[in-house]
Amino acid sequence: ISHTWFLSVIQDEFRAGKINLDSTLKLFEKLKIPCDYDHVKHIFKKTIDKQPDRTIDMEGFRTIYRTIVHRPEFLEIFRIYTRRNRMMTDAELMSFLRREQFKTELNETSILEIIFKHEPIEEVRKRRQMSFEGFVRYLTSEDCSVFRSDLKTIYQDMNYPLCDYFISSSHNTYLISDQLIGPSDIWGYTSALLKGCRCLEIDCWDGPNNDPIVYHGHTLTSKILFQSVIEVIDKYAFAVSDYPLVLSLENHCSPLQQEVMAEYLENILGDKLLTSAIGSSEITQLPSPEALKFKILIKNKKIGTIEEGMLRRGLDSRGETGEISDSDSMSDEEDTEDKPIHHRRHSGLKRKSEAKICPTPRKKAKMKKIKIALALSDLVIYTKSEKFVSFEHSLVHQKCYENNSIGEVKARKLVKHSAREFVSHTSRFITRIYPKGTRTTSSNYNPQEFWNVGCQMVALNFQTPGLKMELQNGKFLDNGGCGYILKPDFLRSRNSTFSPFNVGRYGKPVTLSIKLISGHQLPPSSLSKTNKADPLVRIEIYGVPEDQSKKKSSVIKSNALSPRWDETFSFSIQIPELALVRFCVEDEISVGGNDFLGQYTLPLLCLSKG
């Protein structure tokens, strides 16, 4: 039956006798078989064997098809469950799914759904059976993805306060290259939003003609209009996720241009912009992502309290400013890691005509005054930027809607020396981590060490590929890719004594066993002209320090099309809730180094069995 079906599908293409490479690729599309151009081209060349017309007949195509589709590891398991018969019955399919794929909840109806979805041969479908062709299509479909299908949609409770979630966050989102001379581009915002990012950064400076600009200040990076940035954010804010978007303003503008910023935010974003608190005016905890669906929040310095700002809504506050001392600077990211920190904040309201009253500055500390336009200040509701002083200071003075930005160097020291206090802090307040200023090439730090202590906004340079962004992208595949992931209980409880360095009673040990069977159509090495890579696979665990682990397979020589390993790896994991699993495929070039071919990272708890 399979042979007859195969001929009936392909015979029209061979009416002229033979087909070329392009027609071969189109025929694979018609047969609904995903294939890699380089691999098909390589096998095609071997099949024509120096024929001058560079075409193949029907038998030649069948050879290529079987080489790519009829994988021996699939045939082996198909034969085990069909007892070497040519067709798999519905009962045999159910047996396979229960024993190999651990799908214990399946019934007769769901088995038939699988057959009707994946079996290409009508006659076999009618018999409620599955051919090897159907079996291959099923095993290579999304239904058999290593990522659990039930976690590809939003499944977590989205009604906890904002601080109870990890939030996908970007650093200097406007940059699409390095931090010193590269271009600024609105594509940075579009790209980040399409990747599910929910906290964007905007560096704002005074521009010509009273029009604020966005760029990396005091560098040669190019400039874009603040208005253009807000317009593109308005367009793509909720393209991927319905949940709230935070605009983190690094604000260097004069009060006059801050008022222009406020006008752009209100006029362009309209009802999307959150301009007042939800429910009670007395704020004792942050609202939830669910309550803030389709809302855009402004993260910036603020004069006074939310309640005071609410009282001014509807009044004309043009020309009115407030002052914040330099110790509570408008730019969290300007500070060096060892800059003196002032424990007392001074802020107050004043009209333009009022006289300044400045506190006596400390010696060595430059107590410069920073002016903030009330029109912009009043747009800050639940995300008020507050300079981080110490965990003790925050516990006494910080309000639930005030949040901190901490540089990676200082944050790493806090993780090392005060991990439990850090966890306690992030259970109460949104904490944003940002890269150190010396990362001029837009390199990234490892976000895992800050997720381990519950930091919500671990901001990375989204434009820079590599391991760190792969961990970011892998983590936020969870919960439907909506950019919000509910933190584990031990990172949300205010009574938690969790430390990533000594998990103690918080450990929930699991043993992860991974059998690496085979690869298929691996990307050819950029350093290989023959399409014959020497692939190996690294399996890595990222999580709390105790769980970090790396193992690698043997090297399969000269086979990028269908390398076969059949090797098993075991890992013992104490905190599965924080663990990520990364599969990295490399081509062994020499003893000294390998060529990266591809990777896939996902949360451990999102792994499918089977």
Side-chain angles (χ1 to χ4, degrees):
I1 291 174
S2 292
H3 182 64
T4 308
W5 164 81
F6 184 76
L7 292 177
S8 70
V9 173
I10 70 170
Q11 63 188 1
D12 282 355
E13 312 300 322
F14 287 92
R15 277 175 302 190
K18 292 185 174 185
I19 62 173
N20 61 15
L21 176 59
D22 285 343
S23 298
T24 299
L25 289 160
K26 286 175 183 172
L27 195 44
F28 269 103
E29 282 181 28
K30 184 178 178 181
L31 287 158
K32 296 181 179 174
I33 295 293
C35 59
D36 176 81
Y37 171 81
D38 290 299
H39 284 293
V40 174
K41 180 181 175 183
H42 186 65
I43 302 165
F44 187 90
K45 279 183 176 179
K46 284 173 69 178
T47 306
I48 59 174
D49 193 27
K50 298 180 182 177
Q51 291 178 30
D53 61 354
R54 304 182 70 79
T55 58
I56 55 170
D57 59 15
M58 200 179 286
E59 195 55 41
F61 178 78
R62 193 172 175 215
T63 300
I64 297 172
Y65 180 85
R66 291 179 78 114
T67 302
I68 286 179
V69 179
H70 289 197
R71 296 163 61 178
E73 62 270 35
F74 288 174
L75 195 55
E76 286 163 20
I77 199 158
F78 184 78
R79 284 175 173 166
I80 289 169
Y81 282 91
T82 58
R83 301 182 189 86
R84 295 190 170 272
N85 290 330
R86 297 202 167 199
M87 298 298 158
M88 181 179 272
T89 65
D90 53 355
E92 288 166 345
L93 179 57
M94 183 176 282
S95 177
F96 162 76
L97 292 169
R98 284 181 171 170
R99 287 173 59 185
E100 302 290 342
Q101 307 293 72
F102 299 91
K103 294 183 180 292
T104 53
E105 75 291 346
L106 289 177
N107 55 34
E108 189 179 337
T109 305
S110 45
I111 293 293
L112 289 177
E113 284 174 359
I114 291 170
I115 290 173
F116 279 99
K117 182 176 179 181
H118 298 286
E119 176 51 56
I121 305 171
E122 187 179 359
E123 192 178 334
V124 178
R125 281 201 306 270
K126 285 178 179 176
R127 293 186 197 161
R128 299 187 172 195
Q129 293 179 338
M130 185 174 265
S131 66
F132 182 59
E133 295 290 343
F135 190 66
V136 167
R137 282 161 175 75
Y138 173 60
L139 287 183
T140 54
S141 74
E142 277 296 305
D143 290 357
C144 287
S145 166
V146 72
F147 195 102
R148 282 176 54 183
S149 58
D150 56 324
L151 307 187
K152 290 181 180 178
T153 55
I154 295 159
Y155 68 94
Q156 294 177 344
D157 188 341
M158 303 302 284
N159 291 294
Y160 288 95
L162 278 180
C163 59
D164 283 1
Y165 296 83
F166 294 118
I167 303 170
S168 178
S169 303
S170 153
H171 171 253
N172 286 0
T173 317
Y174 50 91
L175 293 179
I176 56 171
S177 183
D178 65 80
Q179 306 280 312
L180 293 179
I181 59 173
S184 303
D185 199 298
I186 56 173
W187 169 249
Y189 292 96
T190 307
S191 175
L193 287 168
L194 292 176
K195 289 175 184 172
C197 185
R198 302 323 286 157
C199 178
L200 307 174
E201 186 175 19
I202 311 176
D203 281 22
C204 312
W205 297 80
D206 279 359
N209 306 316
N210 201 31
D211 215 356
I213 54 173
V214 174
Y215 85 113
H216 199 197
H218 311 302
T219 70
L220 299 176
T221 56
S222 62
K223 302 171 176 69
I224 49 179
L225 290 174
F226 179 78
Q227 178 184 359
S228 301
V229 169
I230 302 307
E231 284 171 348
V232 82
I233 288 171
D234 178 59
K235 184 175 180 181
Y236 292 101
F238 303 106
V240 169
S241 173
D242 299 348
Y243 291 103
L245 175 64
V246 178
L247 304 186
S248 181
L249 303 184
E250 190 173 325
N251 179 8
H252 304 270
C253 289
S254 63
L256 197 60
Q257 294 210 15
Q258 288 177 42
E259 290 188 348
V260 175
M261 287 167 60
E263 282 179 28
Y264 282 141
L265 289 166
E266 293 199 80
N267 294 339
I268 295 169
L269 300 178
D271 290 342
K272 295 188 186 89
L273 183 67
L274 187 77
T275 55
S276 59
I278 296 170
S280 169
S281 58
E282 188 182 348
I283 298 159
T284 55
Q285 74 169 28
L286 289 172
S288 68
E290 190 66 33
L292 293 170
K293 259 185 168 180
F294 300 110
K295 288 295 179 185
I296 296 176
L297 283 67
I298 304 302
K299 179 179 177 296
N300 190 46
K301 296 294 180 186
K302 184 177 180 67
I303 302 297
T305 65
I306 292 179
E307 291 81 8
E308 290 167 354
M310 297 280 287
L311 291 173
R312 282 192 296 271
R313 286 302 294 170
L315 301 175
D316 185 0
S317 57
R318 277 179 299 183
E320 290 191 59
T321 64
E323 287 185 340
I324 293 180
S325 67
D326 186 56
S327 65
D328 200 23
S329 156
M330 295 173 88
S331 169
D332 290 332
E333 297 192 20
E334 279 188 326
D335 295 341
T336 57
E337 298 292 340
D338 55 356
K339 185 173 177 178
I341 294 169
H342 307 295
H343 282 245
R344 294 305 300 166
R345 186 179 86 256
H346 178 84
S347 67
L349 294 179
K350 70 178 265 307
R351 285 190 177 269
K352 278 186 174 175
S353 57
E354 289 177 5
K356 291 184 182 178
I357 302 173
C358 299
T360 307
R362 288 184 180 188
K363 285 183 180 179
K364 295 184 184 178
K366 295 178 182 178
M367 297 294 283
K368 186 175 66 175
K369 288 288 186 180
I370 305 290
K371 289 183 178 180
I372 298 184
L374 290 192
L376 183 61
S377 169
D378 289 349
L379 295 181
V380 177
I381 308 297
Y382 294 118
T383 41
K384 177 184 177 184
S385 298
E386 194 68 28
K387 183 65 66 182
F388 177 76
V389 176
S390 68
F391 294 136
E392 297 77 14
H393 182 271
S394 292
L395 205 54
V396 174
H397 299 286
Q398 200 161 319
K399 294 182 170 65
C400 67
Y401 56 82
E402 295 177 329
N403 45 71
N404 312 118
S405 286
I406 307 175
E408 65 165 294
V409 176
K410 181 189 285 185
R412 196 170 286 119
K413 289 176 185 172
L414 293 170
V415 170
K416 183 178 178 181
H417 299 295
S418 310
R420 285 195 174 91
E421 291 83 354
F422 212 149
V423 170
S424 174
H425 180 83
T426 59
S427 73
R428 292 167 169 82
F429 310 111
I430 291 177
T431 304
R432 178 176 172 272
I433 309 298
Y434 60 89
K436 60 187 176 184
T438 53
R439 293 188 180 276
T440 53
T441 59
S442 299
S443 62
N444 281 311
Y445 54 83
N446 186 339
Q448 186 69 49
E449 59 186 320
F450 303 117
W451 290 329
N452 285 346
V453 290
C455 295
Q456 295 86 348
M457 295 178 171
V458 181
L460 297 182
N461 293 307
F462 270 47
Q463 73 272 33
T464 308
L467 169 64
K468 317 305 168 38
M469 270 308 293
E470 288 158 9
L471 297 179
Q472 156 78 21
N473 293 336
K475 185 174 187 68
F476 284 97
L477 287 173
D478 199 1
N479 202 31
C482 73
Y484 283 81
I485 298 171
L486 187 63
K487 298 197 290 183
D489 289 345
F490 54 79
L491 293 179
R492 291 188 279 126
S493 168
R494 296 190 174 186
N495 300 317
S496 176
T497 57
F498 174 78
S499 165
F501 302 107
N502 182 12
V503 301
R505 64 189 176 91
Y506 296 100
K508 296 178 185 173
V510 298
T511 299
L512 172 64
S513 179
I514 294 176
K515 184 176 181 183
L516 175 64
I517 301 171
S518 63
H520 190 57
Q521 299 188 75
L522 300 180
S525 170
S526 59
L527 305 176
S528 168
K529 294 177 182 176
T530 60
N531 224 41
K532 289 191 174 181
D534 297 342
L536 65 95
V537 179
R538 297 183 186 276
I539 302 176
E540 303 168 346
I541 307 295
Y542 293 86
V544 297
E546 192 177 343
D547 291 340
Q548 305 269 14
S549 183
K550 296 182 180 181
K551 298 185 180 182
K552 70 173 182 176
S553 71
S554 57
V555 177
I556 305 298
K557 292 291 183 183
S558 300
N559 191 346
L561 175 64
S562 54
R564 185 82 182 261
W565 285 278
D566 287 322
E567 296 176 28
T568 301
F569 303 87
S570 285
F571 302 88
S572 180
I573 295 165
Q574 298 298 311
I575 305 290
E577 299 96 326
L578 290 174
L580 297 172
V581 185
R582 180 174 183 259
F583 301 90
C584 182
V585 186
E586 297 175 350
D587 178 20
E588 187 182 62
I589 300 300
S590 65
V591 178
N594 299 329
D595 188 30
F596 173 83
L597 295 183
Q599 70 84 40
Y600 184 69
T601 303
L602 76 166
L604 170 68
L605 296 179
C606 294
L607 265 177
S608 288
K609 292 180 180 179

